[in-house]
Amino acid sequence: MFSLPDLRVLEVAAVVIEEGSMSAAGLRLGITQSAVSQAMKRAEAHIGASFVRRDRRPLGPTEAGQALLTHMREITLRVGRAVEEMRAAAARPEREDLRLGMIDTFASTVDHCWSAASWRVQSRFA
């Protein structure tokens, strides 16, 4: 069965590609070079491909690494938009229905007034 990789290790790999160095990536991410190296190994093992050419400095992306970088940028933008949308939704008041129970004779008396008031309340909070 297909399992999703840890997005954090893919993010680390993308930063390594952007920085061209595991040490620089570690500084940018606030983690050690050793932790960066381990994350790279886990990401590459999970995908089954090398993301950087290790035979030159700065490290250059392989074709798989370039694909990773492109997709991680898109994922980062989408996650950012999703977080903004969730925060905006949380800031809006939730709509709640108010149900009133009344006897038929009273309901028929206030029905025309209630319909107009109900419309104003729904318009205000919708």
Side-chain angles (χ1 to χ4, degrees):
M1 182 176 158
F2 175 75
S3 66
L4 290 175
D6 179 1
L7 291 178
R8 179 65 178 160
V9 297
L10 294 180
E11 178 187 20
V12 170
V15 172
V16 169
I17 294 167
E18 288 176 339
E19 295 293 331
S21 159
M22 291 197 196
S23 297
L27 287 173
R28 180 169 149 189
L29 295 167
I31 60 177
T32 65
Q33 183 275 331
S34 176
V36 171
S37 180
Q38 290 173 16
M40 280 291 289
K41 285 178 185 173
R42 283 196 311 275
E44 290 174 332
H46 189 88
I47 301 301
S50 293
F51 294 132
V52 293
R53 291 187 193 96
R54 290 173 170 81
D55 58 347
R56 61 174 109 159
R57 299 289 184 259
L59 299 173
T62 61
E63 192 173 331
Q66 192 57 52
L68 168 72
L69 187 57
T70 299
H71 288 288
M72 285 306 295
R73 285 177 177 158
E74 182 181 335
I75 289 167
T76 300
L77 288 173
R78 286 179 154 214
V79 168
R81 279 189 234 127
V83 168
E84 288 173 9
E85 189 176 320
M86 288 182 281
R87 286 183 177 151
R92 290 189 298 269
E94 292 286 330
R95 178 182 169 186
E96 295 185 25
D97 292 333
L98 173 65
R99 295 177 184 260
L100 299 175
M102 57 185 84
I103 59 174
D104 293 341
T105 54
F106 181 71
S108 63
T109 305
V110 296
D111 185 47
H112 66 283
C113 297
W114 180 250
S115 295
S118 172
W119 182 83
R120 285 193 300 274
V121 169
Q122 286 178 3
S123 297
R124 182 172 177 211
F125 291 104

